[in-house]
């Protein structure tokens, strides 16, 4: 059974419901940032750009994450629990393991709805499925 994380499900539902004018969808994955480490939660931190984006967005405040970046990214990208794909630790850029190639990703679902997809930043999903294969606009 395919379990879609709330963020992936939200993106797909928004893309499916809105047909006349599609909204822009931005998913920011920020590693090693604690829940309270932003100025809207603690004035010791200065995160005005994030606060501005959040004020105009849907915020998902009560979610759980996986214990490593590879597992979190694989879950967000595929909507599946990482261990069901054999992903149980961090993949580095030279790792031959990857998300299985035959699994459709959120980028594929959004492409079906007429979106162009793009990813920037850290990949950490191995070399078996290149980033350009999932997000072709590199």
């Amino acid at each position: 059974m395919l379990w879609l994380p709330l963020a992936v499900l939200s993106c797909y539902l928004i893309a499916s419901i809105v047909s006349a004018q599609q909204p822009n969808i931005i998913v920011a994955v920020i590693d090693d940032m604690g829940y309270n480490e932003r100025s809207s939660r603690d004035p010791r931190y200065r995160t005005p750009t994030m606060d501005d984006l959040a004020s105009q967005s849907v915020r998902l405040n009560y979610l759980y994450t996986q214990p490593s970046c590879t597992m979190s990214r694989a879950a967000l990208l595929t909507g599946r629990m990482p261990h069901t794909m054999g992903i149980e630790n961090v993949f580095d850029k030279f790792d031959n393991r990857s998300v299985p190639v035959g699994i459709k990703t959120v980028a594929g679902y959004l492409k079906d709805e007429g979106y162009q997809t793009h990813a920037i930043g850290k990949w950490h999903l191995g070399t078996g499925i290149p980033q350009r294969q999932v997000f072709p606009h590199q």
Side-chain angles (χ1 to χ4, degrees), residues 90-118:
V90 176
F91 294 173
D92 66 25
K93 63 182 177 181
F94 302 110
D95 205 312
N96 288 327
R97 297 174 294 164
S98 70
V99 171
V101 175
I103 294 176
K104 192 168 185 177
T105 66
V106 69
Y109 289 107
L110 290 172
K111 184 178 176 188
D112 291 348
E113 296 298 325
Y115 279 87
Q116 292 185 5
T117 59
H118 185 77

PDB file of all heavy atoms in Angstrom, residues 90-118:
ATOM      1  N   VAL A  90      22.117   6.859   5.380  1.00  0.00           N
ATOM      2  CA  VAL A  90      22.487   7.953   4.478  1.00  0.00           C
ATOM      3  C   VAL A  90      23.217   7.412   3.247  1.00  0.00           C
ATOM      4  O   VAL A  90      24.074   6.551   3.356  1.00  0.00           O
ATOM      5  CB  VAL A  90      23.394   8.967   5.207  1.00  0.00           C
ATOM      6  CG1 VAL A  90      23.859  10.060   4.272  1.00  0.00           C
ATOM      7  CG2 VAL A  90      22.663   9.561   6.390  1.00  0.00           C
ATOM      8  N   PHE A  91      22.847   7.925   2.079  1.00  0.00           N
ATOM      9  CA  PHE A  91      23.568   7.635   0.839  1.00  0.00           C
ATOM     10  C   PHE A  91      24.445   8.850   0.549  1.00  0.00           C
ATOM     11  O   PHE A  91      23.979   9.980   0.633  1.00  0.00           O
ATOM     12  CB  PHE A  91      22.619   7.491  -0.355  1.00  0.00           C
ATOM     13  CG  PHE A  91      21.684   6.316  -0.294  1.00  0.00           C
ATOM     14  CD1 PHE A  91      20.696   6.183  -1.239  1.00  0.00           C
ATOM     15  CD2 PHE A  91      21.773   5.341   0.679  1.00  0.00           C
ATOM     16  CE1 PHE A  91      19.824   5.115  -1.229  1.00  0.00           C
ATOM     17  CE2 PHE A  91      20.907   4.271   0.704  1.00  0.00           C
ATOM     18  CZ  PHE A  91      19.930   4.149  -0.251  1.00  0.00           C
ATOM     19  N   ASP A  92      25.676   8.611   0.188  1.00  0.00           N
ATOM     20  CA  ASP A  92      26.499   9.744  -0.211  1.00  0.00           C
ATOM     21  C   ASP A  92      26.500   9.861  -1.738  1.00  0.00           C
ATOM     22  O   ASP A  92      25.877   9.064  -2.433  1.00  0.00           O
ATOM     23  CB  ASP A  92      27.922   9.659   0.355  1.00  0.00           C
ATOM     24  CG  ASP A  92      28.728   8.500  -0.213  1.00  0.00           C
ATOM     25  OD1 ASP A  92      28.431   8.032  -1.336  1.00  0.00           O
ATOM     26  OD2 ASP A  92      29.672   8.069   0.459  1.00  0.00           O
ATOM     27  N   LYS A  93      27.193  10.864  -2.258  1.00  0.00           N
ATOM     28  CA  LYS A  93      27.136  11.126  -3.699  1.00  0.00           C
ATOM     29  C   LYS A  93      27.794  10.046  -4.539  1.00  0.00           C
ATOM     30  O   LYS A  93      27.593   9.996  -5.744  1.00  0.00           O
ATOM     31  CB  LYS A  93      27.744  12.489  -4.020  1.00  0.00           C
ATOM     32  CG  LYS A  93      29.208  12.623  -3.701  1.00  0.00           C
ATOM     33  CD  LYS A  93      29.681  14.020  -4.016  1.00  0.00           C
ATOM     34  CE  LYS A  93      31.127  14.205  -3.642  1.00  0.00           C
ATOM     35  NZ  LYS A  93      31.582  15.560  -3.919  1.00  0.00           N
ATOM     36  N   PHE A  94      28.545   9.152  -3.929  1.00  0.00           N
ATOM     37  CA  PHE A  94      29.193   8.066  -4.671  1.00  0.00           C
ATOM     38  C   PHE A  94      28.482   6.733  -4.479  1.00  0.00           C
ATOM     39  O   PHE A  94      28.913   5.715  -4.997  1.00  0.00           O
ATOM     40  CB  PHE A  94      30.659   7.942  -4.240  1.00  0.00           C
ATOM     41  CG  PHE A  94      31.426   9.208  -4.445  1.00  0.00           C
ATOM     42  CD1 PHE A  94      31.851   9.948  -3.358  1.00  0.00           C
ATOM     43  CD2 PHE A  94      31.698   9.675  -5.725  1.00  0.00           C
ATOM     44  CE1 PHE A  94      32.555  11.134  -3.537  1.00  0.00           C
ATOM     45  CE2 PHE A  94      32.399  10.859  -5.918  1.00  0.00           C
ATOM     46  CZ  PHE A  94      32.825  11.584  -4.822  1.00  0.00           C
ATOM     47  N   ASP A  95      27.396   6.734  -3.721  1.00  0.00           N
ATOM     48  CA  ASP A  95      26.687   5.502  -3.399  1.00  0.00           C
ATOM     49  C   ASP A  95      25.918   4.991  -4.611  1.00  0.00           C
ATOM     50  O   ASP A  95      25.225   5.754  -5.276  1.00  0.00           O
ATOM     51  CB  ASP A  95      25.715   5.773  -2.247  1.00  0.00           C
ATOM     52  CG  ASP A  95      25.391   4.532  -1.461  1.00  0.00           C
ATOM     53  OD1 ASP A  95      25.070   3.502  -2.104  1.00  0.00           O
ATOM     54  OD2 ASP A  95      25.453   4.577  -0.236  1.00  0.00           O
ATOM     55  N   ASN A  96      26.034   3.706  -4.913  1.00  0.00           N
ATOM     56  CA  ASN A  96      25.324   3.120  -6.050  1.00  0.00           C
ATOM     57  C   ASN A  96      23.881   2.756  -5.724  1.00  0.00           C
ATOM     58  O   ASN A  96      23.115   2.428  -6.613  1.00  0.00           O
ATOM     59  CB  ASN A  96      26.059   1.877  -6.562  1.00  0.00           C
ATOM     60  CG  ASN A  96      27.337   2.246  -7.272  1.00  0.00           C
ATOM     61  OD1 ASN A  96      27.412   3.287  -7.915  1.00  0.00           O
ATOM     62  ND2 ASN A  96      28.352   1.420  -7.137  1.00  0.00           N
ATOM     63  N   ARG A  97      23.520   2.789  -4.459  1.00  0.00           N
ATOM     64  CA  ARG A  97      22.120   2.523  -4.088  1.00  0.00           C
ATOM     65  C   ARG A  97      21.288   3.757  -4.394  1.00  0.00           C
ATOM     66  O   ARG A  97      21.805   4.847  -4.565  1.00  0.00           O
ATOM     67  CB  ARG A  97      22.012   2.198  -2.603  1.00  0.00           C
ATOM     68  CG  ARG A  97      22.753   0.938  -2.210  1.00  0.00           C
ATOM     69  CD  ARG A  97      22.737   0.749  -0.727  1.00  0.00           C
ATOM     70  NE  ARG A  97      23.511   1.831  -0.102  1.00  0.00           N
ATOM     71  CZ  ARG A  97      23.450   2.133   1.185  1.00  0.00           C
ATOM     72  NH1 ARG A  97      22.679   1.468   1.992  1.00  0.00           N
ATOM     73  NH2 ARG A  97      24.184   3.118   1.674  1.00  0.00           N
ATOM     74  N   SER A  98      19.973   3.571  -4.446  1.00  0.00           N
ATOM     75  CA  SER A  98      19.109   4.717  -4.706  1.00  0.00           C
ATOM     76  C   SER A  98      17.668   4.348  -4.448  1.00  0.00           C
ATOM     77  O   SER A  98      17.344   3.209  -4.136  1.00  0.00           O
ATOM     78  CB  SER A  98      19.251   5.177  -6.159  1.00  0.00           C
ATOM     79  OG  SER A  98      18.670   4.227  -7.023  1.00  0.00           O
ATOM     80  N   VAL A  99      16.798   5.328  -4.646  1.00  0.00           N
ATOM     81  CA  VAL A  99      15.367   5.068  -4.704  1.00  0.00           C
ATOM     82  C   VAL A  99      15.154   4.180  -5.924  1.00  0.00           C
ATOM     83  O   VAL A  99      15.712   4.464  -6.991  1.00  0.00           O
ATOM     84  CB  VAL A  99      14.582   6.396  -4.874  1.00  0.00           C
ATOM     85  CG1 VAL A  99      13.120   6.145  -5.150  1.00  0.00           C
ATOM     86  CG2 VAL A  99      14.775   7.287  -3.661  1.00  0.00           C
ATOM     87  N   PRO A 100      14.385   3.092  -5.806  1.00  0.00           N
ATOM     88  CA  PRO A 100      14.167   2.236  -6.975  1.00  0.00           C
ATOM     89  C   PRO A 100      13.625   3.029  -8.173  1.00  0.00           C
ATOM     90  O   PRO A 100      12.732   3.855  -8.027  1.00  0.00           O
ATOM     91  CB  PRO A 100      13.144   1.215  -6.477  1.00  0.00           C
ATOM     92  CG  PRO A 100      13.383   1.164  -4.996  1.00  0.00           C
ATOM     93  CD  PRO A 100      13.754   2.565  -4.608  1.00  0.00           C
ATOM     94  N   VAL A 101      14.188   2.799  -9.347  1.00  0.00           N
ATOM     95  CA  VAL A 101      13.886   3.584 -10.540  1.00  0.00           C
ATOM     96  C   VAL A 101      12.412   3.512 -10.951  1.00  0.00           C
ATOM     97  O   VAL A 101      11.856   4.476 -11.422  1.00  0.00           O
ATOM     98  CB  VAL A 101      14.804   3.150 -11.710  1.00  0.00           C
ATOM     99  CG1 VAL A 101      14.433   3.874 -12.993  1.00  0.00           C
ATOM    100  CG2 VAL A 101      16.252   3.433 -11.363  1.00  0.00           C
ATOM    101  N   GLY A 102      11.746   2.412 -10.735  1.00  0.00           N
ATOM    102  CA  GLY A 102      10.368   2.269 -11.190  1.00  0.00           C
ATOM    103  C   GLY A 102       9.315   2.968 -10.351  1.00  0.00           C
ATOM    104  O   GLY A 102       8.143   2.984 -10.710  1.00  0.00           O
ATOM    105  N   ILE A 103       9.696   3.570  -9.249  1.00  0.00           N
ATOM    106  CA  ILE A 103       8.733   4.217  -8.357  1.00  0.00           C
ATOM    107  C   ILE A 103       8.455   5.636  -8.835  1.00  0.00           C
ATOM    108  O   ILE A 103       9.369   6.429  -9.037  1.00  0.00           O
ATOM    109  CB  ILE A 103       9.255   4.231  -6.905  1.00  0.00           C
ATOM    110  CG1 ILE A 103       9.337   2.791  -6.385  1.00  0.00           C
ATOM    111  CG2 ILE A 103       8.363   5.076  -6.019  1.00  0.00           C
ATOM    112  CD1 ILE A 103       9.919   2.676  -5.001  1.00  0.00           C
ATOM    113  N   LYS A 104       7.183   5.962  -9.024  1.00  0.00           N
ATOM    114  CA  LYS A 104       6.809   7.304  -9.457  1.00  0.00           C
ATOM    115  C   LYS A 104       7.000   8.282  -8.304  1.00  0.00           C
ATOM    116  O   LYS A 104       6.674   7.990  -7.163  1.00  0.00           O
ATOM    117  CB  LYS A 104       5.352   7.326  -9.922  1.00  0.00           C
ATOM    118  CG  LYS A 104       4.971   8.594 -10.653  1.00  0.00           C
ATOM    119  CD  LYS A 104       3.638   8.435 -11.341  1.00  0.00           C
ATOM    120  CE  LYS A 104       3.316   9.656 -12.171  1.00  0.00           C
ATOM    121  NZ  LYS A 104       2.060   9.485 -12.900  1.00  0.00           N
ATOM    122  N   THR A 105       7.527   9.443  -8.616  1.00  0.00           N
ATOM    123  CA  THR A 105       7.809  10.456  -7.597  1.00  0.00           C
ATOM    124  C   THR A 105       6.791  11.589  -7.664  1.00  0.00           C
ATOM    125  O   THR A 105       6.017  11.704  -8.622  1.00  0.00           O
ATOM    126  CB  THR A 105       9.212  11.047  -7.805  1.00  0.00           C
ATOM    127  OG1 THR A 105       9.219  11.760  -9.048  1.00  0.00           O
ATOM    128  CG2 THR A 105      10.281   9.960  -7.803  1.00  0.00           C
ATOM    129  N   VAL A 106       6.820  12.441  -6.662  1.00  0.00           N
ATOM    130  CA  VAL A 106       5.939  13.603  -6.651  1.00  0.00           C
ATOM    131  C   VAL A 106       6.199  14.461  -7.881  1.00  0.00           C
ATOM    132  O   VAL A 106       5.271  15.062  -8.438  1.00  0.00           O
ATOM    133  CB  VAL A 106       6.080  14.415  -5.336  1.00  0.00           C
ATOM    134  CG1 VAL A 106       7.421  15.093  -5.242  1.00  0.00           C
ATOM    135  CG2 VAL A 106       4.975  15.428  -5.203  1.00  0.00           C
ATOM    136  N   ALA A 107       7.444  14.505  -8.356  1.00  0.00           N
ATOM    137  CA  ALA A 107       7.750  15.253  -9.577  1.00  0.00           C
ATOM    138  C   ALA A 107       6.984  14.679 -10.766  1.00  0.00           C
ATOM    139  O   ALA A 107       6.485  15.423 -11.609  1.00  0.00           O
ATOM    140  CB  ALA A 107       9.249  15.232  -9.847  1.00  0.00           C
ATOM    141  N   GLY A 108       6.860  13.368 -10.822  1.00  0.00           N
ATOM    142  CA  GLY A 108       6.102  12.731 -11.898  1.00  0.00           C
ATOM    143  C   GLY A 108       4.622  13.055 -11.829  1.00  0.00           C
ATOM    144  O   GLY A 108       3.975  13.312 -12.852  1.00  0.00           O
ATOM    145  N   TYR A 109       4.061  13.041 -10.602  1.00  0.00           N
ATOM    146  CA  TYR A 109       2.648  13.383 -10.438  1.00  0.00           C
ATOM    147  C   TYR A 109       2.389  14.841 -10.822  1.00  0.00           C
ATOM    148  O   TYR A 109       1.399  15.157 -11.480  1.00  0.00           O
ATOM    149  CB  TYR A 109       2.186  13.142  -8.999  1.00  0.00           C
ATOM    150  CG  TYR A 109       2.083  11.681  -8.639  1.00  0.00           C
ATOM    151  CD1 TYR A 109       3.000  11.084  -7.801  1.00  0.00           C
ATOM    152  CD2 TYR A 109       1.055  10.893  -9.156  1.00  0.00           C
ATOM    153  CE1 TYR A 109       2.908   9.741  -7.472  1.00  0.00           C
ATOM    154  CE2 TYR A 109       0.954   9.549  -8.831  1.00  0.00           C
ATOM    155  CZ  TYR A 109       1.885   8.983  -7.987  1.00  0.00           C
ATOM    156  OH  TYR A 109       1.790   7.657  -7.665  1.00  0.00           O
ATOM    157  N   LEU A 110       3.295  15.718 -10.415  1.00  0.00           N
ATOM    158  CA  LEU A 110       3.127  17.129 -10.763  1.00  0.00           C
ATOM    159  C   LEU A 110       3.302  17.355 -12.265  1.00  0.00           C
ATOM    160  O   LEU A 110       2.592  18.165 -12.856  1.00  0.00           O
ATOM    161  CB  LEU A 110       4.097  18.001  -9.961  1.00  0.00           C
ATOM    162  CG  LEU A 110       3.781  18.092  -8.471  1.00  0.00           C
ATOM    163  CD1 LEU A 110       4.909  18.803  -7.727  1.00  0.00           C
ATOM    164  CD2 LEU A 110       2.458  18.783  -8.229  1.00  0.00           C
ATOM    165  N   LYS A 111       4.219  16.642 -12.881  1.00  0.00           N
ATOM    166  CA  LYS A 111       4.411  16.745 -14.330  1.00  0.00           C
ATOM    167  C   LYS A 111       3.132  16.330 -15.063  1.00  0.00           C
ATOM    168  O   LYS A 111       2.737  16.960 -16.046  1.00  0.00           O
ATOM    169  CB  LYS A 111       5.583  15.874 -14.771  1.00  0.00           C
ATOM    170  CG  LYS A 111       5.905  15.999 -16.239  1.00  0.00           C
ATOM    171  CD  LYS A 111       7.102  15.165 -16.618  1.00  0.00           C
ATOM    172  CE  LYS A 111       7.320  15.259 -18.130  1.00  0.00           C
ATOM    173  NZ  LYS A 111       8.330  14.349 -18.598  1.00  0.00           N
ATOM    174  N   ASP A 112       2.465  15.292 -14.558  1.00  0.00           N
ATOM    175  CA  ASP A 112       1.193  14.856 -15.146  1.00  0.00           C
ATOM    176  C   ASP A 112       0.132  15.947 -15.091  1.00  0.00           C
ATOM    177  O   ASP A 112      -0.790  15.967 -15.899  1.00  0.00           O
ATOM    178  CB  ASP A 112       0.655  13.614 -14.422  1.00  0.00           C
ATOM    179  CG  ASP A 112       1.488  12.376 -14.663  1.00  0.00           C
ATOM    180  OD1 ASP A 112       2.362  12.387 -15.560  1.00  0.00           O
ATOM    181  OD2 ASP A 112       1.271  11.382 -13.930  1.00  0.00           O
ATOM    182  N   GLU A 113       0.257  16.855 -14.134  1.00  0.00           N
ATOM    183  CA  GLU A 113      -0.702  17.956 -13.975  1.00  0.00           C
ATOM    184  C   GLU A 113      -0.255  19.224 -14.687  1.00  0.00           C
ATOM    185  O   GLU A 113      -0.836  20.285 -14.497  1.00  0.00           O
ATOM    186  CB  GLU A 113      -0.931  18.237 -12.484  1.00  0.00           C
ATOM    187  CG  GLU A 113      -1.561  17.088 -11.732  1.00  0.00           C
ATOM    188  CD  GLU A 113      -2.949  16.736 -12.240  1.00  0.00           C
ATOM    189  OE1 GLU A 113      -3.700  17.654 -12.647  1.00  0.00           O
ATOM    190  OE2 GLU A 113      -3.287  15.536 -12.240  1.00  0.00           O
ATOM    191  N   GLY A 114       0.812  19.122 -15.492  1.00  0.00           N
ATOM    192  CA  GLY A 114       1.257  20.264 -16.284  1.00  0.00           C
ATOM    193  C   GLY A 114       2.333  21.118 -15.638  1.00  0.00           C
ATOM    194  O   GLY A 114       2.674  22.178 -16.169  1.00  0.00           O
ATOM    195  N   TYR A 115       2.869  20.690 -14.525  1.00  0.00           N
ATOM    196  CA  TYR A 115       3.916  21.456 -13.853  1.00  0.00           C
ATOM    197  C   TYR A 115       5.282  21.153 -14.444  1.00  0.00           C
ATOM    198  O   TYR A 115       5.525  20.069 -14.956  1.00  0.00           O
ATOM    199  CB  TYR A 115       3.970  21.109 -12.362  1.00  0.00           C
ATOM    200  CG  TYR A 115       2.943  21.821 -11.530  1.00  0.00           C
ATOM    201  CD1 TYR A 115       1.662  21.305 -11.369  1.00  0.00           C
ATOM    202  CD2 TYR A 115       3.253  23.014 -10.895  1.00  0.00           C
ATOM    203  CE1 TYR A 115       0.718  21.951 -10.604  1.00  0.00           C
ATOM    204  CE2 TYR A 115       2.324  23.679 -10.126  1.00  0.00           C
ATOM    205  CZ  TYR A 115       1.055  23.146  -9.985  1.00  0.00           C
ATOM    206  OH  TYR A 115       0.130  23.799  -9.233  1.00  0.00           O
ATOM    207  N   GLN A 116       6.168  22.124 -14.340  1.00  0.00           N
ATOM    208  CA  GLN A 116       7.589  21.897 -14.569  1.00  0.00           C
ATOM    209  C   GLN A 116       8.210  21.785 -13.189  1.00  0.00           C
ATOM    210  O   GLN A 116       7.846  22.518 -12.273  1.00  0.00           O
ATOM    211  CB  GLN A 116       8.216  23.065 -15.336  1.00  0.00           C
ATOM    212  CG  GLN A 116       7.737  23.166 -16.749  1.00  0.00           C
ATOM    213  CD  GLN A 116       8.474  24.263 -17.497  1.00  0.00           C
ATOM    214  OE1 GLN A 116       9.394  24.885 -17.002  1.00  0.00           O
ATOM    215  NE2 GLN A 116       8.051  24.497 -18.723  1.00  0.00           N
ATOM    216  N   THR A 117       9.134  20.853 -13.029  1.00  0.00           N
ATOM    217  CA  THR A 117       9.728  20.641 -11.711  1.00  0.00           C
ATOM    218  C   THR A 117      11.213  20.969 -11.741  1.00  0.00           C
ATOM    219  O   THR A 117      11.862  20.879 -12.777  1.00  0.00           O
ATOM    220  CB  THR A 117       9.548  19.184 -11.259  1.00  0.00           C
ATOM    221  OG1 THR A 117      10.163  18.310 -12.213  1.00  0.00           O
ATOM    222  CG2 THR A 117       8.064  18.832 -11.138  1.00  0.00           C
ATOM    223  N   HIS A 118      11.715  21.364 -10.605  1.00  0.00           N
ATOM    224  CA  HIS A 118      13.126  21.704 -10.484  1.00  0.00           C
ATOM    225  C   HIS A 118      13.554  21.455  -9.048  1.00  0.00           C
ATOM    226  O   HIS A 118      12.786  21.694  -8.124  1.00  0.00           O
ATOM    227  CB  HIS A 118      13.341  23.169 -10.837  1.00  0.00           C
ATOM    228  CG  HIS A 118      14.777  23.564 -10.858  1.00  0.00           C
ATOM    229  ND1 HIS A 118      15.618  23.245 -11.902  1.00  0.00           N
ATOM    230  CD2 HIS A 118      15.523  24.232  -9.961  1.00  0.00           C
ATOM    231  CE1 HIS A 118      16.819  23.713 -11.640  1.00  0.00           C
ATOM    232  NE2 HIS A 118      16.792  24.314 -10.470  1.00  0.00           N
TER     233      HIS A 118
END
